[in-house]
Amino acid sequence: MLTRLRQFLALTTILAALQVVAVPAVAEEESEALKQVAYIDMKPSFVLNYGQEPSERVRYLKVDVALRTDTDQAAALVNQHMPMLRNELVLLFSKQTQDAMGSSAAKDALRLEALTLLNAGLEKETTKKPITDLLFNNFIVQR
C-alpha cells in the first residue's frame, strides 16, 4: 500500500509539473495568434515627378510600397487611413532631389523617413503607431 501511495504521489507531482510547463506554452500560442504579420501593398503604384528645379528637365519616379503590421487591428487601421498615407508619400516623394534618388543609402534613408512620417500621421489620428516597417518592392527612377 505504501508503494502505491508513493507511485500516486510521484505521478501527481509529474502531472502538476507538466501543467506548469504547459500553461506558458498556451499563453505564447495565444499571443502569437494575436500577432499576425501582414504586408499591405499600397496600390496603385506611385508614379510622379520629382526634383523640379526651373532649369532642370522633368524627372519621373515609380515606386511600389508595402507596409508591414504585426496585428490584424493594425492592418485595419492602416487600410482605414490609406488615402492619408498615400497623400503623405506623394508629398514626400515629389520633394526629393536627384541626389536623394542616387544611392542605396539615400533610398534607405528615404524609406526610414517615409516610415516615420506615416507613423506620425497615424499617431496623430489614432494615437497608435501600427506600421512596423515600410518596404520598397519596386523603385524606378528616370533621370
Side-chain angles (χ1 to χ4, degrees), residues 32 48-50 59-60 63 73 76-77 79 81 87 102 104 130 140 142:
E32 287 299 319
L48 48 99
N49 53 354
Y50 72 96
R59 293 182 171 83
Y60 293 98
V63 182
Q73 182 184 14
L77 277 175
N79 283 319
H81 294 282
N87 180 63
S104 294
I140 300 172
Q142 179 187 8

Side-chain angles (χ1 to χ4, degrees), residues 7-26:
Q7 287 176 343
F8 176 75
L9 289 175
L11 185 58
T12 306
T13 305
I14 290 172
L15 288 175
L18 287 175
Q19 283 182 330
V20 169
V21 171
V23 169
V26 170

